[in-house]
């Protein structure tokens, strides 16, 4: 099956932080892949803006290297890369000073192309950038700005950031990225739920026993120790990525697949989340192993009490979900890289077969990464004579196999999201009130840990996290799904 590529309108994209890690690994290689796919019109321009004293040629060389390293090896040989590089220029800009702003304004003034500014910089610079864009006449009502997580570190800072951006931009111009929403399979959650009649009638506490959301990573904190130690898994993963997954799984069907309707429904879920009791949450921190240093060595603080793992039981107080627990789990240095959502349905309330009641139940697993696909556990008769014995077997669908080669190689999350910015489609971006509501729910949990002087439980690298996480489910008579892709 050949995937359709619909070109976007020609654009000017200014990347503040254009020489940074995110630009190098994701944004620039992603733009190149969209160029190769024919989605980025050739008259578009990409302007790197950062403090480095580069000229256009230096920047083009920087981008060429980034593409060779992270571009997926496509089309570098046949002149496509050279043609793409011609679309690139660079302006040295000081976010906090005057340098570079007049030159940047001169470069893009008079252009009638779609205009977007990517703030690929720390949030402390958002206000300065917004102010300078305004002063130099670049922040007109048609432009868009793209901002990255972390969007604040608590409700107060998120509110302050929202207020700062709101001084110069309307909410309809602000694209807050949560790259999980750009993942093909995360969008598939909505397609599976709302594109099939089969699931939605059963999608409630009457039929669903519980739901598990696991985002397990096998890597540790790597070179990001300084940032990570101030955040921890709660701020780095739960407040945003896991919260978004929870919203997509739990929300009411939006009236339309449009930004207002989808984001309204997600917001209602976040606002209906119960506060989390301390005994319904487990924090962990990975220990050293033969494969690498423990968390504290990795971040260079022998006393760090930041968590690299969180497991929690979450309730949603609304008509659909009251009584159905959601178990969330994420961690670094776990046994495998595996992100999936599992919906465990209730046992049938009566069985005509001679079986242990409750032994067989349907389980729907949506695998987000790797091996993207869906598995539905169904109960059938064990083959052969000797009576009606039941067994559970998987109806297994791999998206890559089902969609063939082209469908199996979808755009990376950043590619999709940047193209959505150019199209002016905010559906897959977080609205300001959503981010604030997520912090309002997260803050008391973190404050509780701080007040109690909570210390995370150590766990072995390449494990499924601290034993307390298994015990939390065992107390409810449940078990976690294996962490295996
Ligand atoms: C980022 C977090 O937002 O998501 C990282 O800051 C994490 O700590 C990453 O590793 C996970 O993303 P992915 O796409 O690899 O699942």
């Amino acid at each position: 099956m050949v995937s359709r590529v619909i070109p976007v309108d020609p654009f000017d994209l200014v990347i503040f932080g254009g020489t940074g890690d995110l630009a190098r690994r994701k944004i620039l290689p992603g733009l190149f892949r969209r160029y190769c796919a024919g989605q980025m019109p050739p008259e578009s321009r990409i302007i790197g803006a950062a403090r480095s004293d580069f000229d256009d040629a230096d920047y083009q060389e920087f981008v060429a290297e980034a593409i060779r390293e992270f571009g997926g090896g496509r089309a570098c040989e046949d002149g496509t890369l050279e043609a793409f590089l011609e679309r690139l220029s660079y302006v040295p800009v000081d976010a906090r000073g005057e340098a570079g702003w007049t030159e940047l304004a001169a470069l893009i003034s008079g252009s009638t192309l779609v205009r977007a500014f990517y703030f690929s910089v720390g949030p402390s610079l958002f206000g300065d950038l917004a102010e300078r864009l305004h002063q130099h006449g670049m922040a007109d009502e048609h432009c868009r700005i793209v901002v990255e997580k972390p969007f604040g570190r608590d409700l107060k800072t998120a509110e302050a950031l929202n207020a700062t951006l709101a001084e110069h931009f309307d909410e309809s111009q602000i694209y807050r990225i949560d790259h999980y929403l750009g993942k093909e399979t995360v969008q598939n959650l909505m397609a599976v739920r709302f594109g099939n009649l089969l699931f939605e009638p059963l999608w409630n506490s009457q039929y669903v026993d519980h739901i598990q959301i696991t985002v397990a990573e096998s890597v540790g904190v790597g070179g990001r120790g300084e940032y990570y130690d101030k955040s921890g898994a709660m701020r780095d993963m739960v407040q945003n990525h896991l919260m978004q997954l929870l919203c997509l799984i739990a929300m009411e069907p939006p009236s339309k697949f449009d930004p207002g309707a989808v984001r309204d429904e997600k917001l209602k879920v976040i606002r209906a989340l119960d506060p989390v009791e301390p005994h319904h949450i487990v924090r962990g921190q990975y220990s050293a192993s033969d494969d690498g240093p423990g968390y504290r060595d990795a971040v260079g603080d022998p006393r760090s009490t930041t968590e690299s793992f969180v497991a929690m039981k979450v309730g949603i107080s609304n008509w659909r979900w009251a009584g159905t627990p959601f178990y969330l789990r994420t961690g670094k240095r776990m046994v495998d890289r595996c992100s999936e959502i599992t919906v465990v349905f209730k046992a049938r309330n009566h069985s005509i077969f001679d079986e242990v009641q409750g032994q067989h139940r349907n389980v729907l697993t949506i695998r987000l990464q790797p091996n993207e696909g869906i598995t539905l556990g169904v109960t059938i008769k064990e083959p052969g004579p000797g009576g009606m014995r039941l067994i559970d077997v998987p109806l297994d669908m791999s998206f890559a196999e089902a969609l063939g080669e082209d469908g199996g190689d979808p755009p990376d999350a950043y590619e999709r999201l940047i193209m959505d910015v150019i199209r002016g489609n905010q559906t897959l971006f977080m609205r300001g009130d959503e981010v604030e509501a997520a912090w309002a729910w997260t803050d008391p949990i973190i404050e509780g840990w701080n007040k109690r002087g909570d210390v995370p439980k150590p766990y072995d690298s390449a494990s499924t996290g601290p034993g307390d996480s298994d015990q939390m489910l065992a107390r409810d008579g449940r078990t976690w799904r294996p962490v295996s892709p």
Side-chain angles (χ1 to χ4, degrees), residues 204-206 208-211 314-316 320-326:
N204 56 54
S205 59
Q206 200 184 338
V208 176
D209 178 73
H210 73 280
I211 292 182
V314 178
I316 303 180
R320 184 185 284 261
W321 291 119
T324 295
F326 288 70

Side-chain angles (χ1 to χ4, degrees), residues 2 25 29 41 56 66-68 97 100 181 188 211 219 242 273 313 322 329 356 372 384 387 393 416-417 466-467:
V2 179
R25 286 171 182 272
D56 290 349
I67 288 170
R68 282 188 208 107
L181 289 176
N188 235 325
I211 292 182
V219 293
L242 274 85
L273 293 176
K313 176 179 175 179
R329 167 175 67 160
V356 178
E372 293 82 351
V393 291
R416 170 175 303 264
L417 293 175

Side-chain angles (χ1 to χ4, degrees), residues 225-394:
E226 202 186 324
Y227 149 77
Y228 192 91
D229 202 42
K230 293 195 198 91
S231 301
M234 193 70 190
R235 289 191 173 98
D236 185 52
M237 295 294 288
V238 177
Q239 186 272 347
N240 37 78
H241 305 326
L242 274 85
M243 184 73 70
Q244 291 296 324
L245 297 178
L246 174 66
C247 285
L248 297 180
I249 276 292
M251 71 185 184
E252 294 301 313
S255 56
K256 269 180 92 177
F257 187 63
D258 78 13
V262 170
R263 299 191 297 179
D264 282 351
E265 294 307 336
K266 287 198 293 167
L267 180 62
K268 286 185 210 161
V269 175
I270 304 175
R271 289 194 172 148
L273 293 176
D274 294 337
V276 179
E277 304 286 333
H279 62 287
H280 286 159
I281 185 157
V282 174
R283 296 168 83 209
Q285 196 183 64
Y286 63 86
S287 316
S289 72
D290 293 346
D291 292 344
Y295 177 83
R296 289 177 173 184
D297 285 337
V299 301
D301 176 358
R303 279 202 279 265
S304 170
T305 56
T306 302
E307 76 286 351
S308 59
F309 172 98
V310 179
M312 61 206 304
K313 176 179 175 179
V314 178
I316 303 180
S317 280
N318 65 17
W319 191 267
R320 184 185 284 261
W321 291 119
T324 295
F326 288 70
Y327 297 100
L328 274 46
R329 167 175 67 160
T330 184
K332 297 215 179 271
R333 272 260 177 229
M334 292 180 67
V335 59
D336 252 316
R337 174 171 182 257
C338 160
S339 300
E340 62 178 37
I341 298 177
T342 298
V343 181
V344 180
F345 289 92
K346 289 189 172 170
R348 284 155 292 127
N349 52 11
H350 171 70
S351 175
I352 62 169
F353 306 110
D354 189 14
E355 59 168 322
V356 178
Q357 180 60 19
Q359 193 182 357
H360 299 284
R361 45 177 77 199
N362 299 115
V363 175
L364 174 71
T365 299
I366 303 163
R367 294 189 303 277
L368 304 177
Q369 60 186 27
N371 304 333
E372 293 82 351
I374 295 183
T375 306
L376 177 63
V378 291
T379 302
I380 60 166
K381 176 187 172 298
E382 192 178 294
M388 186 66 96
R389 288 186 309 275
L390 302 183
I391 52 167
D392 292 332
V393 291

Side-chain angles (χ1 to χ4, degrees), residues 33-330:
R33 286 193 294 265
R34 290 299 90 208
Y35 182 79
C36 295
Q39 197 164 24
M40 175 183 151
E43 59 271 49
S44 305
R45 298 187 298 175
I46 299 164
I47 300 149
R51 278 200 306 193
S52 311
D53 197 16
F54 282 180
D55 60 19
D56 290 349
D58 296 333
Y59 193 55
Q60 287 165 359
E61 185 46 39
F62 168 87
V63 175
E65 266 174 38
I67 288 170
R68 282 188 208 107
E69 193 172 350
F70 300 106
R74 280 189 226 166
C76 289
E77 310 298 329
D78 63 0
T80 316
L81 178 59
E82 285 65 32
F84 174 76
L85 294 176
E86 278 172 24
R87 310 315 313 150
L88 284 145
S89 50
Y90 183 84
V91 183
V93 163
D94 179 1
R96 294 215 158 109
E98 283 308 320
W101 288 98
T102 315
E103 291 79 359
L104 182 62
L107 192 62
I108 62 174
S109 68
S111 163
T112 52
L113 305 184
V114 172
R115 183 180 296 175
F117 299 100
Y118 202 129
F119 290 11
S120 181
V121 295
S124 60
L125 291 179
F126 289 179
D128 295 296
L129 292 179
E131 181 62 36
R132 292 277 184 264
L133 286 172
H134 174 71
Q135 273 173 8
H136 291 268
M138 288 180 272
D140 65 20
E141 71 274 22
H142 302 298
C143 76
R144 288 136 213 195
I145 60 165
V146 186
V147 295
E148 275 289 331
K149 82 176 252 278
F151 199 84
R153 53 178 285 105
D154 52 22
L155 176 59
K156 212 168 127 213
T157 47
E159 281 174 343
L161 279 178
N162 276 336
T164 302
L165 296 180
E167 280 175 31
H168 299 301
F169 301 99
D170 185 70
E171 180 62 33
S172 63
Q173 296 177 274
I174 305 173
Y175 290 71
R176 295 176 195 78
I177 286 204
D178 181 316
H179 79 280
Y180 265 57
L181 289 176
K183 288 182 190 267
E184 188 77 12
T185 40
V186 172
Q187 291 161 55
N188 235 325
L189 287 177
M190 286 183 276
V192 168
R193 275 195 67 190
F194 305 126
N196 296 285
L197 184 62
L198 201 59
F199 301 116
E200 204 46 30
L202 306 180
W203 214 257
N204 56 54
S205 59
Q206 200 184 338
Y207 295 103
V208 176
D209 178 73
H210 73 280
I211 292 182
Q212 298 187 12
I213 302 179
T214 293
V215 177
E217 295 183 272
S218 52
V219 293
V221 292
R224 298 167 69 228
E226 202 186 324
Y227 149 77
Y228 192 91
D229 202 42
K230 293 195 198 91
S231 301
M234 193 70 190
R235 289 191 173 98
D236 185 52
M237 295 294 288
V238 177
Q239 186 272 347
N240 37 78
H241 305 326
L242 274 85
M243 184 73 70
Q244 291 296 324
L245 297 178
L246 174 66
C247 285
L248 297 180
I249 276 292
M251 71 185 184
E252 294 301 313
S255 56
K256 269 180 92 177
F257 187 63
D258 78 13
V262 170
R263 299 191 297 179
D264 282 351
E265 294 307 336
K266 287 198 293 167
L267 180 62
K268 286 185 210 161
V269 175
I270 304 175
R271 289 194 172 148
L273 293 176
D274 294 337
V276 179
E277 304 286 333
H279 62 287
H280 286 159
I281 185 157
V282 174
R283 296 168 83 209
Q285 196 183 64
Y286 63 86
S287 316
S289 72
D290 293 346
D291 292 344
Y295 177 83
R296 289 177 173 184
D297 285 337
V299 301
D301 176 358
R303 279 202 279 265
S304 170
T305 56
T306 302
E307 76 286 351
S308 59
F309 172 98
V310 179
M312 61 206 304
K313 176 179 175 179
V314 178
I316 303 180
S317 280
N318 65 17
W319 191 267
R320 184 185 284 261
W321 291 119
T324 295
F326 288 70
Y327 297 100
L328 274 46
R329 167 175 67 160
T330 184

